[in-house]
DNA sequence: GGTAGCGGGTATGTGCTCGG
DNA sequence: CCGAGCACATACCCGCTACC
């Protein structure tokens, strides 16, 4: 499905040589593009709430009254070669193939039984599968082979999320400490990764009988939105772990949840991992990047220097991390100084400011208006639910508006000295992909792909290491490959140092380079 | 000087799946 | 058939910088 959007289907391009599935997929992609353009056109003017509601209502009515009306004329003309049913079938086969890709990749596991072992107990990242589906499915290998070549990579990516819930349950059950650890998440966070990752799953399974999942289809109704689903402070003993409503996947929770990655197997480190890590560490030895002196950790340290306690340090860290997105470290540091000068760096004082006052203080950082709103909201939440201290867990931090996965991971580590995951920002995401360590679209995918091979003792280091490296050498545009000590193991660096004229020549990752590197590593 | 692009998160709209 | 909910794409927010 998603792969279809990537199929090389430039408008007007010849369709010759495409398989039926590819053609159907590319037409579907075209339709999506056109419809999103329509959406954009409709979205241009500002709408009042009632107008927006009316649009939604009409949209619903259109859907109910028949989807074929939405087809573009060109598509209708081509209906003989790609009927709606064809597209549906193609899409369904892609989805089924994606779900079973884990078994395709590891055919020895489970003796090539493609059917899900837990029909009726959907897990995160796994589509709801019926007996009918199970019967329909051919072997995973066959399913994958039947895919258009252009979408195979997409299936590979999707498979990273396809997690066998039974396997996770078995692991969780084997780990006796995990469910006890859930109620005091603080205690488990520094222990083995499997434990901290599985604890929420185990508890959820124990209390509900199944994993609440990202499964498609109808599901237990979610009660309330953000406020209703905000997890109670577990460290304080509040709330009931595993309550289905508490864990209900609102949009953001889905985007930020760790569970769908929980049971991904470890993978071997990429070729020359140790060489690259050592080289980057050497290049960062001076610790003279902006992030070193003005990053979030530095803001926390400054709070302590100024006579604050741990609580003040943590609040400074949260504020700094919320301000830091889309903002240079210099600007973040300057803004933090303004907040210090105004003596509002505590939840009590900051919550007493109006949004307008806060907006003025934040002027200079990106999106200062939004951030002012989010900060005020965060302060109120902190005071109301967390006793004036920042939330202690990843799950609770990402409940705060304006706090995403990266920020939550940084805040948990810098503020509470615990590791729940590596913090992947744009630098880590870019560099990991540039080195071909991962092939991912989003930072959260990168986070979990990297965690699969990165030794846990390095989790704390990678963010600061790579952010500084990305600021100084491995820059987004025009990376300084000639100054990089790791360029010999980097596809981009190798090409650049071989005489490419500019970054544009090397910005497209080279498959053969990767293959060469992998072969080199194997030869060793 | 104008413009394109970057960056992280939120909000919204759409087609679609699936259970009741 | 309907509605809940999912996956996905995209607009938007804003300041800054690089490039033409």
């Amino acid at each position: 499905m998603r792969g279809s959007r990537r199929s090389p289907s430039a408008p007007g391009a010849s369709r010759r040589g495409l398989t039926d599935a590819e053609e159907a997929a590319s037409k579907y992609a075209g339709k999506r593009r056109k419809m999103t353009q329509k959406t954009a056109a409709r979205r241009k003017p500002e709408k009042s709430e009632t107008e927006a509601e009316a649009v939604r209502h009409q949209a619903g009515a259109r859907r109910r009254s028949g989807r074929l009306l939405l087809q573009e004329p060109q598509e209708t003309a081509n209906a003989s070669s790609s009927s709606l049913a064809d597209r549906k079938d193609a899409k369904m086969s892609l989805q089924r193939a994606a779900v079973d890709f884990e078994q395709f990749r590891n055919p020895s596991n489970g003796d090539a039984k493609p059917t899900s072992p837990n029909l009726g107990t959907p897990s995160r990242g796994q589509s709801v599968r019926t007996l009918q589906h199970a019967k329909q499915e051919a072997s995973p290998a066959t399913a994958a082979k039947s895919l258009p070549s252009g979408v195979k990579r997409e299936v590979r990516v999707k498979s990273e999320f396809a997690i066998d819930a039974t396997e996770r349950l078995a692991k969780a059950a084997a780990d006796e400490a995990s469910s006890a650890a859930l109620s005091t998440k603080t205690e488990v966070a520094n222990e083995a990764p499997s434990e901290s990752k599985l604890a929420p799953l185990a508890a959820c399974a124990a209390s509900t009988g199944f994993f609440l999942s990202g499964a498609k289809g109808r599901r237990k109704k979610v009660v309330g939105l953000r406020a209703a689903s905000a997890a109670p402070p577990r460290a304080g003993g509040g709330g009931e772990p595993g309550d289905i409503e508490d864990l209900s996947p609102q949009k953001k929770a889905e985007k930020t949840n760790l569970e769908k990655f929980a049971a991904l197997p470890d993978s071997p480190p990429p070729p020359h991992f140790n060489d690259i890590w050592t080289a980057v560490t050497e290049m960062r030895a001076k610790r003279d990047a902006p992030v070193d002196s003005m990053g979030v950790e530095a803001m926390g340290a400054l709070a302590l220097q100024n006579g604050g306690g741990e609580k003040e340090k943590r609040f400074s860290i949260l504020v700094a991390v919320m301000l830091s997105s889309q903002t240079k470290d210099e600007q973040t540091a300057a803004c933090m100084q303004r907040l210090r000068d105004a003596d509002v760096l505590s939840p009590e004082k900051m919550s007493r400011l109006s949004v307008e006052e806060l907006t003025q203080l934040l002027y200079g950082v990106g999106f200062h208006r939004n951030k002012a709103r989010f900060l005020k909201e965060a302060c109120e939440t902190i005071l109301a639910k967390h006793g004036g201290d920042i939330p202690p867990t990843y799950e609770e931090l990402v409940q705060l508006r304006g706090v995403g996965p990266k920020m939550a991971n940084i805040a948990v580590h810098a503020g509470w000295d615990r590791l729940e995951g590596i913090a992947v920002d744009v630098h880590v995401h870019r560099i990991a992909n540039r080195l071909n360590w991962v092939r991912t679209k989003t930072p959260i995918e990168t986070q979990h792909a990297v965690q699969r091979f990165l030794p846990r003792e390095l989790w704390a280091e990678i963010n600061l290491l790579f952010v500084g490296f990305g600021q100084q050498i491995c820059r987004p545009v025009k990376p300084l490959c000639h100054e990089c000590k790791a360029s010999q193991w980097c596809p981009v660096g190798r090409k650049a140092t071989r005489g490419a004229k500019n970054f544009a020549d090397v910005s497209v990752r080279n498959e053969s380079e990767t293959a060469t590197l992998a072969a080199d590593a194997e030869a060793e």
Side-chain angles (χ1 to χ4, degrees):
Chain A
M1 183 170 70
R2 283 185 297 162
S4 66
R5 294 192 182 89
R6 294 184 176 192
S7 58
S9 57
S14 166
R15 301 273 188 243
R16 279 178 300 175
L18 296 182
T19 66
D20 288 346
E22 282 172 321
E23 186 159 344
S26 89
K27 281 186 178 157
Y28 180 69
K31 181 180 170 186
R32 286 297 300 261
R33 269 198 302 276
K34 286 174 187 168
M35 289 199 295
T36 49
Q37 281 164 8
K38 280 193 213 165
T39 303
R42 249 205 312 278
R43 281 175 53 83
K44 284 290 179 189
E46 285 283 318
K47 289 191 191 66
S48 68
E49 278 301 304
T50 49
E51 285 170 330
E53 185 60 40
V55 168
R56 281 195 291 276
H57 197 72
Q58 287 164 9
R62 277 201 305 276
R63 280 200 296 279
R64 283 190 292 278
S65 66
R67 287 167 183 139
L68 283 174
L69 293 176
L70 293 172
Q71 277 188 287
E72 298 295 325
Q74 190 184 352
E75 269 190 289
T76 314
N78 289 336
S80 62
S81 60
S82 81
S83 68
L84 186 64
D86 287 342
R87 291 199 300 277
K88 265 187 167 176
D89 287 345
K91 190 175 176 182
M92 284 176 66
S93 80
L94 291 187
Q95 289 185 334
R96 284 197 296 272
V99 168
D100 278 339
F101 186 81
E102 271 308 315
Q103 289 172 326
F104 163 64
R105 192 173 62 174
N106 300 304
S108 57
N109 296 346
D111 291 331
K113 282 186 184 174
T115 52
S116 168
N118 59 325
L119 293 172
T121 57
S123 66
R124 277 208 183 278
Q126 182 181 36
S127 295
V128 170
R129 293 146 56 85
T130 63
L131 277 169
Q132 190 184 3
H133 270 139
K135 285 177 189 168
Q136 283 172 351
E137 283 161 3
S139 76
T142 310
K145 275 178 192 169
S146 70
L147 295 175
S149 59
V151 304
K152 283 183 180 167
R153 182 182 164 262
E154 190 57 39
V155 172
R156 188 159 58 241
V157 171
K158 190 151 189 162
S159 76
E160 301 291 319
F161 307 139
I163 299 169
D164 185 322
T166 303
E167 188 182 333
R168 287 186 296 175
L169 266 175
K171 282 186 181 178
D175 192 345
E176 292 182 358
S178 61
S179 58
L182 180 84
S183 58
T184 50
K185 196 171 174 60
T186 335
E187 294 168 17
V188 307
N190 280 325
E191 296 172 15
S194 59
E195 184 171 345
S196 58
K197 286 176 182 175
L198 287 167
L201 287 169
C204 180
S207 62
T208 66
F210 62 89
F211 287 112
L212 186 63
S213 74
K216 302 191 78 164
R218 194 164 180 163
R219 215 179 21 185
K220 188 158 183 171
K221 187 177 179 181
V222 173
V223 177
L225 291 175
R226 176 180 298 275
S229 62
R234 290 184 182 145
E240 293 184 12
D243 179 82
I244 196 164
E245 272 76 30
D246 286 346
L247 295 176
S248 59
Q250 53 180 286
K251 286 283 182 190
K252 182 174 176 181
E254 277 301 313
K255 285 184 178 177
T256 57
N257 87 73
L258 302 176
E259 295 172 15
K260 65 182 177 184
F261 302 97
L264 290 177
D266 288 345
S267 64
H272 299 287
F273 169 78
N274 288 334
D275 296 323
I276 294 169
W277 190 269
T278 305
V280 174
T281 305
E282 281 176 20
M283 287 183 275
R284 293 279 288 118
K286 290 182 184 174
R287 299 281 166 183
D288 53 359
V291 68
D292 296 314
S293 55
M294 290 173 283
V296 170
E297 282 91 349
M299 294 300 111
L302 209 51
L304 288 179
Q305 278 178 24
N306 291 342
E310 285 294 315
K311 219 169 169 177
E312 287 73 24
K313 180 191 95 171
R314 284 192 285 270
F315 185 69
S316 288
I317 285 169
L318 180 65
V319 173
V321 83
M322 287 178 76
L323 296 181
S324 66
S325 71
Q326 295 83 49
T327 306
K328 289 188 145 195
D329 288 327
E330 292 87 341
Q331 286 289 346
T332 306
C335 183
M336 287 296 289
Q337 188 58 47
R338 284 199 298 278
L339 294 172
R340 263 191 297 275
D341 292 344
D343 192 24
V344 293
L345 262 183
S346 76
E348 296 84 4
K349 291 172 183 169
M350 194 171 279
S351 66
R352 283 199 288 269
L353 294 176
S354 69
V355 172
E356 290 71 28
E357 289 168 327
L358 204 45
T359 302
Q360 286 180 1
L361 281 168
L362 300 191
Y363 185 83
V365 304
F367 307 163
H368 61 280
R369 291 195 182 113
N370 280 349
K371 287 175 182 174
R373 274 193 298 124
F374 296 154
L375 264 179
K376 189 168 166 63
E377 278 182 34
C379 289
E380 286 160 1
T381 305
I382 284 170
L383 290 171
K385 294 188 178 176
H386 302 283
D389 207 343
I390 75 170
T393 66
Y394 174 92
E395 287 83 0
E396 289 160 316
L397 280 161
V398 294
Q399 294 292 332
L400 300 174
R401 295 223 294 162
V403 177
K406 168 208 152 188
M407 298 178 184
N409 275 324
I410 290 180
V412 167
H413 180 228
W416 294 99
D417 199 24
R418 295 199 325 271
L419 274 171
E420 295 196 15
I422 62 175
V424 172
D425 67 356
V426 286
H427 293 292
V428 180
H429 178 58
R430 180 186 68 252
I431 295 168
N433 276 279
R434 193 175 271 174
L435 287 166
N436 262 322
W437 283 2
V438 296
R439 286 294 190 92
T440 52
K441 286 193 301 181
T442 64
I444 188 110
E445 286 177 35
T446 303
Q447 176 189 337
H448 294 280
V450 171
Q451 282 175 190
R452 292 173 64 190
F453 65 79
L454 188 70
R456 196 173 171 83
E457 58 270 23
L458 300 180
W459 283 20
E461 294 177 44
I462 188 168
N463 183 265
L464 200 56
L465 198 66
F466 275 28
V467 169
F469 179 50
Q471 287 175 336
Q472 294 181 309
I473 294 174
C474 198
R475 303 185 304 201
V477 182
K478 294 188 177 178
L480 304 179
C481 295
H482 289 87
E483 296 179 21
C484 178
K485 294 180 178 178
S487 62
Q488 59 184 302
W489 303 295
C490 165
V492 174
R494 281 173 69 149
K495 198 159 184 178
T497 52
R498 239 193 266 151
K501 286 173 187 165
N502 55 45
F503 179 69
D505 294 343
V506 298
S507 59
V508 178
R509 211 173 290 112
N510 187 324
E511 295 279 356
S512 64
E513 287 280 353
T514 312
T516 308
L517 288 172
D520 287 353
E522 272 189 25
E524 287 173 7

